[in-house]
Amino acid sequence: MAEQDRIKWNHKYESKLAKTVQPSPPNKRLALLMPVLTNGLKSNCKGEALDLACGLGGNSLYLARQGFRVTALDISDVAINCLAKLAEEEQLPIDGRVVDLEEIKLPPAQYDLVIKTYYLQRDLFEQVKRTLKPSGLVFVETFLQTEHDANPHIRPAYKLQPQELLSVFEGWHVLYYYEQEKEGLVTMLARKPSR
């Protein structure tokens, strides 16, 4: 399955790169929430960020430009190679790695920030919780199951149910949460408890 996924995503990114050499823009809500995010961190140093399923790296590049040291993970070597080239051109601290997120074991208490956009692997949430340092932040934006099915091209298994994300991160300090029915998206920024 991993090899099929790698081939599928490589093809998708090759097609996209054939049309433009511009890097992907960052997630617009991540950019809008950057002041909240940086105020939510406990130290002046922005620290270590993890970008899961980073794709062509728009979020990784944005975070690195904001002062984070970024580890960017994706199954596509085409995407990671593109990101590595862009990071090298700007001399940005990004460590891009080709990985199968269905097989990964994230280290405990490693990151100050974890972001996960438009990729849903429910069993990865527990690893996200463990890999964040105490008081670390998680930013998630992904597809939401809605009555009018705003994104019919996305299989229901890859859509969160309403309030599901709040349930997964119960006990965390939610700094921002919004379910966008019209777009079929859910966005959350939350802080891990300090102990």
Side-chain angles (χ1 to χ4, degrees), residues 100-168:
D100 179 359
L101 291 176
E102 293 182 2
E103 300 294 329
I104 197 163
K105 299 290 183 243
L106 297 172
Q110 179 77 32
Y111 298 100
D112 302 285
L113 170 66
V114 175
I115 64 170
K116 193 158 85 110
T117 57
Y118 304 106
Y119 176 78
L120 181 58
Q121 180 186 328
R122 284 176 171 84
D123 63 356
L124 202 52
F125 282 130
E126 289 306 312
Q127 288 203 58
V128 167
K129 292 177 181 181
R130 283 193 302 273
T131 202
L132 274 167
K133 296 175 184 175
S135 299
L137 297 172
V138 60
F139 175 86
V140 177
E141 182 168 279
T142 196
F143 299 104
L144 177 70
Q145 186 66 49
T146 60
E147 285 185 27
H148 63 278
D149 200 9
N151 299 290
H153 60 287
I154 304 296
R155 291 188 1 221
Y158 298 117
K159 296 178 183 179
L160 286 170
Q161 295 298 314
Q163 306 290 307
E164 183 179 353
L165 204 51
L166 290 176
S167 177
V168 169

Side-chain angles (χ1 to χ4, degrees), residues 54-57 60-61 72 78-88 94 96:
C54 66
L56 292 173
S60 295
L61 292 164
V78 169
I80 292 297
N81 290 339
C82 175
L83 176 57
K85 182 179 175 192
L86 294 169
E88 185 177 354
I94 299 174

Side-chain angles (χ1 to χ4, degrees), residues 10-22 56 78:
N10 276 347
H11 178 70
K12 187 174 263 192
Y13 293 131
E14 284 168 347
S15 297
K16 189 170 185 177
L17 289 170
K19 297 174 189 166
T20 180
V21 294
Q22 297 297 317
L56 292 173
V78 169

Side-chain angles (χ1 to χ4, degrees), residues 37-48 112 133 135:
L37 194 152
T38 52
N39 287 337
L41 292 171
K42 293 297 185 185
S43 68
N44 293 330
C45 172
K46 299 226 173 81
E48 302 287 335
D112 302 285
K133 296 175 184 175
S135 299

